[in-house]
Amino acid sequence: MDYKLQLSTMPGISSNIFLSKVSSKMSETPSTSFSMIRLTSSEGQVPSRHSNVTHPTVAKRISFYKSGDPQFGGVRVVVNPRSFKTFDALLDNLSRKVPLPFGVRNISTPRGRHSITKLEELEDGESYVCSHNKKVLPVDLDKARRRPRPWLSSRSISTHVKLRSATATMPTTAPGLFRAPRRLVVFRNGDPKTRRVVLLSRRITQSFEAFLQYLTQVMQYPVAKLYATDGRKVPSLQAVILSSGAVVAAGREPFKPGNYDIQKYLLPVKLPGISHRVHRKGKAKIEKRKSGNWKVLIITSDFPNAGTSSQVYIVLYGHCRSSAPIYLSGRDGTRFQDGHEDNFTITVGDIGIPFKIRVGHTNSGCSPSWHCKGIELQNMNSGQKFYIPVQRWLAQEQEDGEICREFPILSKGQPVLPVTTYEVYITTGELWNAGTIANVYLSIYGEKGDTGSRKLFRSKNSLKFLRGQIDTFFLEAVNLGVLCKIVIGHDGLGQGNGWFLEDVVVRDPTTNHEYAFFCHRWLDEGEDDGKIVREIYARDKTIFSVRKKLERKRKETWAAERWKFMKGNTLQFYNKLTGGFVRLHPDGSVDAAGEQTDRYSLFDVIFNKGNICVFQSHEMRHLSLTLDNGFVTGMAGGGACSELRVLHQPNHCALLESVLLPGHTLTVDRQGKVADESSAGYAELSKEFSVFVKGVFLNSAVVILATSLCQALCLQPNGTCTGAGSQSEQSYWRVHRIRSGICMFESVKTAQMYLRIKDGCCNGMGTGDTDCHFKIKKNLENASISLESLKSPGLFVGLQPDGQAKPVIYTKNESVCFYPRVIQFGRENPMGMSATPSQGENKTRPPESKTRCPSPLSSEKESRHSHSTENLLSEENWKVLVLTGDTGTQANVTLWVYGDEGITGPISLTKDSQEQLFLPGKMDEFQVVLRGIGEIYKIRIGHDGTGGQPEWSLKRVTMENVKSQKTLNFDANVCLSRNQADGDIVCELPVMKEGKPVFPLVRYHVDVYTGQLKQAKTESEVSLCLYGERGDSGLRLLHRSNMPVRFQRGQIDAFQIEAVSLGNLQKVLLHCEARDKSHYWYCEKVIVKEPGSASESIFTCERWIPFMSQGLMHSEIELYCQEMQTNHPSKIQEEANDGDWKVTVVTGDLENAGTTATVSLCVYGEARCSGPIILGSGKHHLFNPNSADIFKIHLKDIGEIYKIRIGHDNSGENPRWYVEEVILENMATCELLCLTVDSWISDSEDDGDTWKEVPILSAHRGSLPVVTYKIHIHTGTKPGAETESNVFINLIGTNGDSGKRRLHQSRSRKVRLHHGQVDMFSIKAVSLGKLKKVLISHDGTGPGNGWFLKNIIVKYEEEGSCEEVLFPCHRWLDEYQEDGRTERELLRK
């Protein structure tokens, strides 16, 4: 029968909804048939896009997205004066549709720049972002729009599936036979005869609440809740999938059981083993299905409390098909009592000869437990009878706790199939927050049917589905034969309901065969693809499959650990068995018995290709770790024998294997001696090493604190921290080194928010005080670190099972282990660059930093540049006496002490009574501890210029060794003031030996050149640090220039820096902390001269500071002396690997030639295309007029390059751009490609295209020509066919594609893409060869954004011949027409 429903969409306008008739058909393919709901006019015709309404409509169709959540698919709302009279009414409506903690309280533009406060400010067809406060996190709208809708998020759970035969081979991947259900059968609660079939669409599934409102209209009574046909609640759109395509719609009342038979709405499929009749031309004959009437007798046992108050249902399985759950209920409410026999008559259609029955109940009522004695079935058509002896409890507190059981039908007194108790082992993943408290359901499919959806109720563990846990369940069912797949999911109920499922193993005890179902994915609406139900196909649990699983884990581990083996890193290898580090001695011998501070235990990575490395001794650079002919040694020159393959293990350890002799690894015994695998006592040998990188926690480093292979400690928007965050920019932490082993961690994404432990909580709401200071404890066994609070010793940053951070006591378990990964290496603290504590910091302990320095007193010692080798050899207590002259100070005074083995500092010279320090003519005494810095050769002392009296007259500093009584006198007699002398507030004092300084004081002349570019000047403070072979000068503020105004465009500023002689200068560090873009500074170069020397050191900069690199803003840059540039690349640049290219983009010297847009590059090779690669944005001072910007990109395995495409996104205030040249240089082979562009890239210049293609001359085929493609767009004549959206086209041919181009300027019409119109556009591209297809799309912006495209004709001339290619379409590109797609692929005719 047909159902006709009336829905009123607007006053005075009515529409009829017709429900199409459902036909029952047999199908060879498991699928589901769905009826359609169509809106028709009063004449029965489909209405046009523009209805003839007397009064014009002012409605706006607007999309709203959730702040910072690209997984949220958005909500479309029609806004007009009738629906929302006030802006607050719109906010209240959105609060029910957009899940935010405190509702929707703010609406902003997509990038969060402008807030909307009035309904009038909303624009039709635009998108906006909702948040619960003023702070808005931008959303990638493209990603949010691509998110799968709920009905696409999982496979349907249906028992009516055609399964493979017993001899069929098990598939390794799921074949694409099953399609997600797109229609839904909706029954009225308690009245199965009232049912509707609805088609799920975007319009009715914007939210669960909107869906219920729609069902209220369709069912013509208030719908407040949904249930599955077996009585389980359906709490969300995702949970609809668990209902097998049918739900029961209820109001406020509880679920009412009934015979909700959905068979006539579903296309049934025969079970395996039943042949299908094949007719001519392959068409299956459609047979009229017979009606199957059955009598059912249910016998309840006669002992006490055997009856049940619950609702009982049965499911019959026959050789043709199975029935839906059939509820057996009576009107008198006295069914299923102790010792009673209850009779029922049911109609299930033609199921064929029955072979099993499933019986269960809903576990409802005051006494749901039930003991069933037996069941009798009689076919009322054939008279055939069947008896099923049950004699089992169906109760959660009895036997195995199951409330659903299966029994085989007896044939001649014998069961057709045996009953099997399957053992199910479910492994929850190791990721943080991987566990779930939701109800988990499982359905197992085999060649002889399925188990139905079973709730996994009783595990051998007291708590189910915990992180890293294996839960064992027993599932009893009639034997399914060879298993082929499972469907597993959860209902999404409870807090933290997401679940990371590792795998499921099902053991069939009858054959002792195990079936493995590997998942390794989230079942979580907020993770991965948002699915909470997964269909997984079986694999035999063989050694091969287990090895594949182990190999996958190794690959994931290598992806997480490979950063350690980048060229230039310094490593140590720790062995757990020996408790020592691998050492390479000067005589070439190797052992694993070294201490952490042993200088022979350091190795530099000097070669890296994939997981093959060469490890050179850091101490003896002529020796490399080598595995040669079964021996482990140090070899000069290295060579192929020194190439070692790093094999990372899942336990965060690594094996070092010879590349020449696979299988031969570095192996040591318990004493640390190198051994081979044939040595006696093989159990006492070890091959695994923990790998440590030196210099991870240097100042200003950016790190990830990984908590698993793919998770990291992350600051959340509410200030809490979780270890279940993704390893993205959200998890970046900037290191502020206080002293050796003591650091603070500041969020890179949210500045000024620090990790802290305070008041029993661990979060990211610190302000930089001592609550944020952490001591770094290394865990040698697994190469991790733990963070101990310096203020609360014994408390560590730990993680709860759900990943939330909390203070814990150290227990050596993984909850306190973090695996650091360096995103950007930091540097040693020069003077003045220590982490600055807040005013409230307790300064009772002097902070320290150490670095290796050359000995000024012994010529035999080498100068070595290293990553801060930790030297914990000796501690010396020193007494420091500071004599103030005639001017005291209230500023904070700091001391640095330099020795030939290291540096200690900054040391804050403070006491409890700060106001009594550094008074005129007074001597102040301090106690300091110096650790392993060797013999002292200079000190640096100064103040920070704060307080009421920032000036300070320093007369003398005396240092006395408490133990040896050795005394060092430093006569200063200087005034440290910004307003006097040279304006310096820091001074360096050398050690005197025999009345002469060990090294002289030198006044360096520093000339700083500001560039000629526009806006090159800055008002920001600029600091500089000089580095030489004898240490550094400390970071000095460039305060007093020879010019009245510092750092003006084209100006040379001269400064003087006094320091103890640094020897030959090696590099300088420039620091410019700009407040905003207007304070950025363009430095051309720095020249340093030493008085009395004719030479000068030139340090070329030629870039803006701050600048962006690798997605991070950098306020400082290291510049190397010109003759050292080739040997010392900037630290912010990575080393060149195979496939790395340097790209130089030259912007022209025309007025306004620069751009503010974001520039991208596509590179086409014969093997593949790489891109678009985002090079950067003009808002970071890139792409300025008459400038060359250099970038590094990775183009591995793309083959010989034959063209590039460069362009921009047309964003910013002035996006137009004149490109002069693009130069590509292969950093490995030095291959150079110089490509002349000499063209505007702008939508307002030349051809209006924002992309340019340039061909590249090929050695064997020459360069391809640039072709002008004339594109004729035919818009259809249907009502509403025109569009005002931005239309994009991509031409694809045998030589690649043109890229996605915007059809901006019509050559034939002023108004483009109008009703029935032909528009002509043109694009230029390197010859595409023979055109094969086009991709045409629009962005859906503007009113009337739908578009009916008739066809596209592309005309072009190439090699003297004219070509014309037709691409027919005749379809809508409209979200509300046909299939709702706004992009189509058209093939040539």
Side-chain angles (χ1 to χ4, degrees), residues 64 79 84-94 104-108 115-122:
F64 294 94
V79 178
F84 302 105
K85 298 185 181 299
T86 65
F87 188 69
D88 288 340
L90 174 62
L91 295 179
D92 291 341
N93 181 271
L94 290 173
V104 178
R105 292 294 175 263
N106 182 58
I107 299 176
S108 302
S115 292
I116 306 299
T117 57
K118 299 178 182 178
L119 292 174
E120 294 76 14
E121 296 176 358
L122 297 170

PDB file of all heavy atoms in Angstrom, residues 64 79 84-94 104-108 115-122:
ATOM      1  N   PHE A  64      26.775  25.850   9.854  1.00  0.00           N
ATOM      2  CA  PHE A  64      27.456  26.160  11.107  1.00  0.00           C
ATOM      3  C   PHE A  64      28.344  24.975  11.487  1.00  0.00           C
ATOM      4  O   PHE A  64      27.911  23.818  11.452  1.00  0.00           O
ATOM      5  CB  PHE A  64      26.451  26.439  12.232  1.00  0.00           C
ATOM      6  CG  PHE A  64      25.629  27.689  12.003  1.00  0.00           C
ATOM      7  CD1 PHE A  64      24.394  27.617  11.400  1.00  0.00           C
ATOM      8  CD2 PHE A  64      26.113  28.933  12.378  1.00  0.00           C
ATOM      9  CE1 PHE A  64      23.629  28.756  11.180  1.00  0.00           C
ATOM     10  CE2 PHE A  64      25.368  30.076  12.171  1.00  0.00           C
ATOM     11  CZ  PHE A  64      24.119  29.997  11.569  1.00  0.00           C
ATOM     12  N   VAL A  79      17.601  30.361   8.006  1.00  0.00           N
ATOM     13  CA  VAL A  79      17.345  31.499   8.891  1.00  0.00           C
ATOM     14  C   VAL A  79      16.435  32.477   8.176  1.00  0.00           C
ATOM     15  O   VAL A  79      16.774  32.979   7.091  1.00  0.00           O
ATOM     16  CB  VAL A  79      18.671  32.191   9.291  1.00  0.00           C
ATOM     17  CG1 VAL A  79      18.381  33.399  10.172  1.00  0.00           C
ATOM     18  CG2 VAL A  79      19.586  31.217  10.009  1.00  0.00           C
ATOM     19  N   PHE A  84      13.460  32.538  13.304  1.00  0.00           N
ATOM     20  CA  PHE A  84      14.238  33.116  14.392  1.00  0.00           C
ATOM     21  C   PHE A  84      13.967  34.619  14.438  1.00  0.00           C
ATOM     22  O   PHE A  84      14.394  35.367  13.548  1.00  0.00           O
ATOM     23  CB  PHE A  84      15.740  32.861  14.190  1.00  0.00           C
ATOM     24  CG  PHE A  84      16.092  31.415  14.080  1.00  0.00           C
ATOM     25  CD1 PHE A  84      16.411  30.855  12.851  1.00  0.00           C
ATOM     26  CD2 PHE A  84      16.089  30.593  15.204  1.00  0.00           C
ATOM     27  CE1 PHE A  84      16.730  29.529  12.736  1.00  0.00           C
ATOM     28  CE2 PHE A  84      16.414  29.255  15.096  1.00  0.00           C
ATOM     29  CZ  PHE A  84      16.723  28.719  13.872  1.00  0.00           C
ATOM     30  N   LYS A  85      13.282  35.015  15.486  1.00  0.00           N
ATOM     31  CA  LYS A  85      12.952  36.441  15.608  1.00  0.00           C
ATOM     32  C   LYS A  85      14.106  37.226  16.214  1.00  0.00           C
ATOM     33  O   LYS A  85      14.222  38.431  16.012  1.00  0.00           O
ATOM     34  CB  LYS A  85      11.687  36.616  16.443  1.00  0.00           C
ATOM     35  CG  LYS A  85      10.451  35.966  15.821  1.00  0.00           C
ATOM     36  CD  LYS A  85       9.206  36.278  16.626  1.00  0.00           C
ATOM     37  CE  LYS A  85       7.982  35.599  15.998  1.00  0.00           C
ATOM     38  NZ  LYS A  85       7.722  36.066  14.628  1.00  0.00           N
ATOM     39  N   THR A  86      14.960  36.561  17.007  1.00  0.00           N
ATOM     40  CA  THR A  86      16.093  37.239  17.634  1.00  0.00           C
ATOM     41  C   THR A  86      17.355  36.412  17.440  1.00  0.00           C
ATOM     42  O   THR A  86      17.299  35.213  17.129  1.00  0.00           O
ATOM     43  CB  THR A  86      15.859  37.453  19.148  1.00  0.00           C
ATOM     44  OG1 THR A  86      15.803  36.169  19.791  1.00  0.00           O
ATOM     45  CG2 THR A  86      14.570  38.222  19.409  1.00  0.00           C
ATOM     46  N   PHE A  87      18.484  37.048  17.637  1.00  0.00           N
ATOM     47  CA  PHE A  87      19.776  36.360  17.529  1.00  0.00           C
ATOM     48  C   PHE A  87      19.931  35.327  18.637  1.00  0.00           C
ATOM     49  O   PHE A  87      20.491  34.257  18.425  1.00  0.00           O
ATOM     50  CB  PHE A  87      20.909  37.389  17.588  1.00  0.00           C
ATOM     51  CG  PHE A  87      22.260  36.816  17.300  1.00  0.00           C
ATOM     52  CD1 PHE A  87      22.591  36.379  16.021  1.00  0.00           C
ATOM     53  CD2 PHE A  87      23.219  36.702  18.289  1.00  0.00           C
ATOM     54  CE1 PHE A  87      23.841  35.852  15.739  1.00  0.00           C
ATOM     55  CE2 PHE A  87      24.472  36.169  18.016  1.00  0.00           C
ATOM     56  CZ  PHE A  87      24.770  35.744  16.732  1.00  0.00           C
ATOM     57  N   ASP A  88      19.419  35.634  19.841  1.00  0.00           N
ATOM     58  CA  ASP A  88      19.490  34.682  20.953  1.00  0.00           C
ATOM     59  C   ASP A  88      18.712  33.408  20.645  1.00  0.00           C
ATOM     60  O   ASP A  88      19.098  32.309  21.065  1.00  0.00           O
ATOM     61  CB  ASP A  88      18.968  35.321  22.239  1.00  0.00           C
ATOM     62  CG  ASP A  88      19.939  36.356  22.789  1.00  0.00           C
ATOM     63  OD1 ASP A  88      21.127  36.296  22.410  1.00  0.00           O
ATOM     64  OD2 ASP A  88      19.515  37.216  23.574  1.00  0.00           O
ATOM     65  N   ALA A  89      17.607  33.555  19.911  1.00  0.00           N
ATOM     66  CA  ALA A  89      16.828  32.368  19.546  1.00  0.00           C
ATOM     67  C   ALA A  89      17.640  31.449  18.650  1.00  0.00           C
ATOM     68  O   ALA A  89      17.588  30.224  18.767  1.00  0.00           O
ATOM     69  CB  ALA A  89      15.526  32.786  18.853  1.00  0.00           C
ATOM     70  N   LEU A  90      18.430  32.036  17.750  1.00  0.00           N
ATOM     71  CA  LEU A  90      19.301  31.223  16.897  1.00  0.00           C
ATOM     72  C   LEU A  90      20.362  30.522  17.737  1.00  0.00           C
ATOM     73  O   LEU A  90      20.653  29.338  17.530  1.00  0.00           O
ATOM     74  CB  LEU A  90      19.955  32.106  15.838  1.00  0.00           C
ATOM     75  CG  LEU A  90      21.010  31.418  14.947  1.00  0.00           C
ATOM     76  CD1 LEU A  90      20.380  30.286  14.135  1.00  0.00           C
ATOM     77  CD2 LEU A  90      21.671  32.426  14.010  1.00  0.00           C
ATOM     78  N   LEU A  91      20.964  31.234  18.715  1.00  0.00           N
ATOM     79  CA  LEU A  91      21.970  30.619  19.578  1.00  0.00           C
ATOM     80  C   LEU A  91      21.384  29.440  20.353  1.00  0.00           C
ATOM     81  O   LEU A  91      22.022  28.393  20.488  1.00  0.00           O
ATOM     82  CB  LEU A  91      22.545  31.657  20.542  1.00  0.00           C
ATOM     83  CG  LEU A  91      23.351  32.805  19.925  1.00  0.00           C
ATOM     84  CD1 LEU A  91      23.831  33.755  21.011  1.00  0.00           C
ATOM     85  CD2 LEU A  91      24.542  32.286  19.140  1.00  0.00           C
ATOM     86  N   ASP A  92      20.177  29.613  20.866  1.00  0.00           N
ATOM     87  CA  ASP A  92      19.546  28.521  21.627  1.00  0.00           C
ATOM     88  C   ASP A  92      19.286  27.320  20.730  1.00  0.00           C
ATOM     89  O   ASP A  92      19.462  26.165  21.141  1.00  0.00           O
ATOM     90  CB  ASP A  92      18.234  29.008  22.251  1.00  0.00           C
ATOM     91  CG  ASP A  92      18.471  30.027  23.359  1.00  0.00           C
ATOM     92  OD1 ASP A  92      19.612  30.076  23.871  1.00  0.00           O
ATOM     93  OD2 ASP A  92      17.543  30.778  23.694  1.00  0.00           O
ATOM     94  N   ASN A  93      18.861  27.565  19.500  1.00  0.00           N
ATOM     95  CA  ASN A  93      18.603  26.465  18.581  1.00  0.00           C
ATOM     96  C   ASN A  93      19.888  25.722  18.231  1.00  0.00           C
ATOM     97  O   ASN A  93      19.931  24.494  18.207  1.00  0.00           O
ATOM     98  CB  ASN A  93      17.941  27.014  17.313  1.00  0.00           C
ATOM     99  CG  ASN A  93      17.612  25.903  16.310  1.00  0.00           C
ATOM    100  OD1 ASN A  93      18.442  25.565  15.482  1.00  0.00           O
ATOM    101  ND2 ASN A  93      16.411  25.360  16.401  1.00  0.00           N
ATOM    102  N   LEU A  94      20.951  26.472  17.985  1.00  0.00           N
ATOM    103  CA  LEU A  94      22.225  25.848  17.647  1.00  0.00           C
ATOM    104  C   LEU A  94      22.815  25.088  18.832  1.00  0.00           C
ATOM    105  O   LEU A  94      23.540  24.111  18.658  1.00  0.00           O
ATOM    106  CB  LEU A  94      23.218  26.902  17.157  1.00  0.00           C
ATOM    107  CG  LEU A  94      22.923  27.511  15.786  1.00  0.00           C
ATOM    108  CD1 LEU A  94      23.887  28.653  15.494  1.00  0.00           C
ATOM    109  CD2 LEU A  94      23.020  26.462  14.689  1.00  0.00           C
ATOM    110  N   VAL A 104      26.127  27.071  22.472  1.00  0.00           N
ATOM    111  CA  VAL A 104      26.655  28.050  21.519  1.00  0.00           C
ATOM    112  C   VAL A 104      26.439  29.447  22.066  1.00  0.00           C
ATOM    113  O   VAL A 104      25.297  29.863  22.292  1.00  0.00           O
ATOM    114  CB  VAL A 104      25.978  27.893  20.142  1.00  0.00           C
ATOM    115  CG1 VAL A 104      26.494  28.952  19.169  1.00  0.00           C
ATOM    116  CG2 VAL A 104      26.226  26.502  19.584  1.00  0.00           C
ATOM    117  N   ARG A 105      27.518  30.151  22.312  1.00  0.00           N
ATOM    118  CA  ARG A 105      27.443  31.516  22.838  1.00  0.00           C
ATOM    119  C   ARG A 105      28.130  32.516  21.922  1.00  0.00           C
ATOM    120  O   ARG A 105      28.107  33.712  22.189  1.00  0.00           O
ATOM    121  CB  ARG A 105      28.077  31.583  24.242  1.00  0.00           C
ATOM    122  CG  ARG A 105      27.281  30.820  25.296  1.00  0.00           C
ATOM    123  CD  ARG A 105      25.925  31.481  25.515  1.00  0.00           C
ATOM    124  NE  ARG A 105      25.062  30.736  26.418  1.00  0.00           N
ATOM    125  CZ  ARG A 105      24.122  29.905  26.010  1.00  0.00           C
ATOM    126  NH1 ARG A 105      23.925  29.718  24.703  1.00  0.00           N
ATOM    127  NH2 ARG A 105      23.367  29.245  26.853  1.00  0.00           N
ATOM    128  N   ASN A 106      28.753  32.042  20.865  1.00  0.00           N
ATOM    129  CA  ASN A 106      29.457  32.944  19.964  1.00  0.00           C
ATOM    130  C   ASN A 106      29.474  32.344  18.568  1.00  0.00           C
ATOM    131  O   ASN A 106      29.657  31.148  18.401  1.00  0.00           O
ATOM    132  CB  ASN A 106      30.904  33.179  20.449  1.00  0.00           C
ATOM    133  CG  ASN A 106      31.646  34.156  19.563  1.00  0.00           C
ATOM    134  OD1 ASN A 106      31.210  35.282  19.387  1.00  0.00           O
ATOM    135  ND2 ASN A 106      32.764  33.727  19.000  1.00  0.00           N
ATOM    136  N   ILE A 107      29.247  33.180  17.557  1.00  0.00           N
ATOM    137  CA  ILE A 107      29.307  32.780  16.158  1.00  0.00           C
ATOM    138  C   ILE A 107      30.325  33.681  15.468  1.00  0.00           C
ATOM    139  O   ILE A 107      30.256  34.911  15.590  1.00  0.00           O
ATOM    140  CB  ILE A 107      27.934  32.887  15.466  1.00  0.00           C
ATOM    141  CG1 ILE A 107      26.916  31.952  16.145  1.00  0.00           C
ATOM    142  CG2 ILE A 107      28.038  32.556  13.991  1.00  0.00           C
ATOM    143  CD1 ILE A 107      25.518  32.069  15.589  1.00  0.00           C
ATOM    144  N   SER A 108      31.273  33.054  14.764  1.00  0.00           N
ATOM    145  CA  SER A 108      32.342  33.815  14.123  1.00  0.00           C
ATOM    146  C   SER A 108      32.512  33.355  12.685  1.00  0.00           C
ATOM    147  O   SER A 108      32.001  32.309  12.276  1.00  0.00           O
ATOM    148  CB  SER A 108      33.669  33.631  14.875  1.00  0.00           C
ATOM    149  OG  SER A 108      33.546  34.019  16.218  1.00  0.00           O
ATOM    150  N   SER A 115      33.268  38.407  14.862  1.00  0.00           N
ATOM    151  CA  SER A 115      32.131  37.803  15.552  1.00  0.00           C
ATOM    152  C   SER A 115      30.835  38.336  14.960  1.00  0.00           C
ATOM    153  O   SER A 115      30.747  39.500  14.564  1.00  0.00           O
ATOM    154  CB  SER A 115      32.185  38.110  17.053  1.00  0.00           C
ATOM    155  OG  SER A 115      33.265  37.446  17.655  1.00  0.00           O
ATOM    156  N   ILE A 116      29.843  37.460  14.904  1.00  0.00           N
ATOM    157  CA  ILE A 116      28.515  37.826  14.418  1.00  0.00           C
ATOM    158  C   ILE A 116      27.631  38.102  15.629  1.00  0.00           C
ATOM    159  O   ILE A 116      27.548  37.287  16.548  1.00  0.00           O
ATOM    160  CB  ILE A 116      27.907  36.703  13.560  1.00  0.00           C
ATOM    161  CG1 ILE A 116      28.868  36.326  12.433  1.00  0.00           C
ATOM    162  CG2 ILE A 116      26.563  37.126  13.005  1.00  0.00           C
ATOM    163  CD1 ILE A 116      29.193  37.443  11.477  1.00  0.00           C
ATOM    164  N   THR A 117      26.964  39.247  15.631  1.00  0.00           N
ATOM    165  CA  THR A 117      26.122  39.614  16.775  1.00  0.00           C
ATOM    166  C   THR A 117      24.680  39.877  16.373  1.00  0.00           C
ATOM    167  O   THR A 117      23.832  40.072  17.240  1.00  0.00           O
ATOM    168  CB  THR A 117      26.691  40.862  17.475  1.00  0.00           C
ATOM    169  OG1 THR A 117      26.785  41.939  16.527  1.00  0.00           O
ATOM    170  CG2 THR A 117      28.078  40.581  18.039  1.00  0.00           C
ATOM    171  N   LYS A 118      24.396  39.910  15.062  1.00  0.00           N
ATOM    172  CA  LYS A 118      23.043  40.186  14.593  1.00  0.00           C
ATOM    173  C   LYS A 118      22.682  39.219  13.484  1.00  0.00           C
ATOM    174  O   LYS A 118      23.539  38.755  12.735  1.00  0.00           O
ATOM    175  CB  LYS A 118      22.933  41.623  14.072  1.00  0.00           C
ATOM    176  CG  LYS A 118      23.230  42.699  15.102  1.00  0.00           C
ATOM    177  CD  LYS A 118      23.143  44.080  14.464  1.00  0.00           C
ATOM    178  CE  LYS A 118      23.485  45.173  15.473  1.00  0.00           C
ATOM    179  NZ  LYS A 118      23.443  46.525  14.869  1.00  0.00           N
ATOM    180  N   LEU A 119      21.372  38.930  13.372  1.00  0.00           N
ATOM    181  CA  LEU A 119      20.906  38.060  12.304  1.00  0.00           C
ATOM    182  C   LEU A 119      21.190  38.667  10.937  1.00  0.00           C
ATOM    183  O   LEU A 119      21.467  37.956   9.973  1.00  0.00           O
ATOM    184  CB  LEU A 119      19.404  37.800  12.447  1.00  0.00           C
ATOM    185  CG  LEU A 119      18.961  36.956  13.651  1.00  0.00           C
ATOM    186  CD1 LEU A 119      17.447  36.924  13.733  1.00  0.00           C
ATOM    187  CD2 LEU A 119      19.509  35.543  13.550  1.00  0.00           C
ATOM    188  N   GLU A 120      21.152  40.008  10.859  1.00  0.00           N
ATOM    189  CA  GLU A 120      21.358  40.675   9.584  1.00  0.00           C
ATOM    190  C   GLU A 120      22.781  40.496   9.061  1.00  0.00           C
ATOM    191  O   GLU A 120      23.047  40.640   7.864  1.00  0.00           O
ATOM    192  CB  GLU A 120      21.047  42.179   9.710  1.00  0.00           C
ATOM    193  CG  GLU A 120      19.580  42.496   9.987  1.00  0.00           C
ATOM    194  CD  GLU A 120      19.172  42.228  11.420  1.00  0.00           C
ATOM    195  OE1 GLU A 120      20.090  42.052  12.256  1.00  0.00           O
ATOM    196  OE2 GLU A 120      17.956  42.165  11.697  1.00  0.00           O
ATOM    197  N   GLU A 121      23.737  40.197   9.952  1.00  0.00           N
ATOM    198  CA  GLU A 121      25.131  40.049   9.531  1.00  0.00           C
ATOM    199  C   GLU A 121      25.409  38.700   8.875  1.00  0.00           C
ATOM    200  O   GLU A 121      26.452  38.513   8.258  1.00  0.00           O
ATOM    201  CB  GLU A 121      26.062  40.236  10.727  1.00  0.00           C
ATOM    202  CG  GLU A 121      26.002  41.634  11.316  1.00  0.00           C
ATOM    203  CD  GLU A 121      26.853  41.770  12.566  1.00  0.00           C
ATOM    204  OE1 GLU A 121      27.462  40.768  12.982  1.00  0.00           O
ATOM    205  OE2 GLU A 121      26.902  42.860  13.127  1.00  0.00           O
ATOM    206  N   LEU A 122      24.493  37.757   9.036  1.00  0.00           N
ATOM    207  CA  LEU A 122      24.660  36.447   8.417  1.00  0.00           C
ATOM    208  C   LEU A 122      24.386  36.533   6.928  1.00  0.00           C
ATOM    209  O   LEU A 122      23.394  37.136   6.506  1.00  0.00           O
ATOM    210  CB  LEU A 122      23.720  35.427   9.064  1.00  0.00           C
ATOM    211  CG  LEU A 122      23.947  35.136  10.550  1.00  0.00           C
ATOM    212  CD1 LEU A 122      22.798  34.310  11.103  1.00  0.00           C
ATOM    213  CD2 LEU A 122      25.264  34.410  10.750  1.00  0.00           C
TER     214      LEU A 122
END
